[in-house]
Amino acid sequence: MGDFYQISNQITLGKSEHEIIEELAREAVEPIVKYERAARKKLCSKRTSALDDKIFRALGVLTNTRMISTEETMYMLSYLRLGAHLNHIKTPLETINRLFLQTKPGHLQYICQSELETEQRDTARADFIRAALQ
């Protein structure tokens, strides 16, 4: 959800933290980053209108919605982040990345300083996103 990768390693016995991080970076992170960049390049060269449509639809939804679920938020923010990486929109990456975290149910309830039911959370999330993107 949200086009995030989770990278983990189960073989850590006898290795230092530094060795584990180096191994993960070399054997997992670097190939994933290379693949992601190649996929973005291909996507941008072939489907610019369709891609821009997805990016700007996401921006439109996020700046105008009055209720939005966690899942839809992650989906829309993913397109927004892609648009920011490609310099198609002016929204700062820091803002988008912060929204990925702060719009999760637990974080949102902490920010609101209240336990919220699902509908209340979806409304609070929409309010929070609109304020952050203005």
Side-chain angles (χ1 to χ4, degrees):
M1 184 167 54
D3 297 321
F4 278 97
Y5 297 100
Q6 178 178 332
I7 299 171
S8 58
N9 182 358
Q10 295 180 2
I11 305 169
T12 59
L13 190 61
K15 295 182 181 182
S16 70
E17 183 178 348
H18 180 73
E19 290 171 320
I20 294 167
I21 291 170
E22 276 188 357
E23 187 176 311
L24 278 173
R26 183 180 59 255
E27 295 180 20
V29 176
E30 287 178 15
I32 290 170
V33 168
K34 187 177 179 180
Y35 176 80
E36 175 80 16
R37 287 184 176 147
R40 282 183 188 179
K41 187 175 182 178
K42 187 174 183 179
L43 185 65
C44 290
S45 69
K46 293 190 175 194
R47 302 193 59 206
T48 54
S49 294
L51 181 60
D52 271 349
D53 185 64
K54 295 257 187 202
I55 292 166
F56 285 98
R57 279 179 190 266
L59 183 61
V61 167
L62 291 170
T63 56
N64 291 291
T65 192
R66 297 304 185 251
M67 289 180 71
I68 191 165
S69 69
T70 302
E71 292 80 14
E72 186 177 10
T73 299
M74 297 296 110
Y75 181 77
M76 295 294 167
L77 286 174
S78 177
Y79 275 112
L80 216 59
R81 184 195 290 131
L82 179 58
H85 273 290
L86 299 174
N87 294 316
H88 291 206
I89 60 169
K90 296 180 193 272
T91 307
L93 275 171
E94 296 80 20
T95 300
I96 299 166
N97 290 337
R98 188 171 26 84
L99 284 171
F100 268 107
L101 294 174
Q102 293 178 329
T103 57
K104 298 281 179 110
H107 289 277
L108 197 58
Q109 290 180 110
Y110 177 78
I111 291 166
C112 293
Q113 297 181 341
S114 175
E115 206 169 304
L116 304 170
E117 297 295 325
T118 302
E119 190 172 313
Q120 293 171 314
R121 271 196 320 266
D122 291 352
T123 301
R125 182 178 296 109
D127 293 343
F128 187 77
I129 293 168
R130 284 195 324 274
L133 294 177
Q134 286 183 346

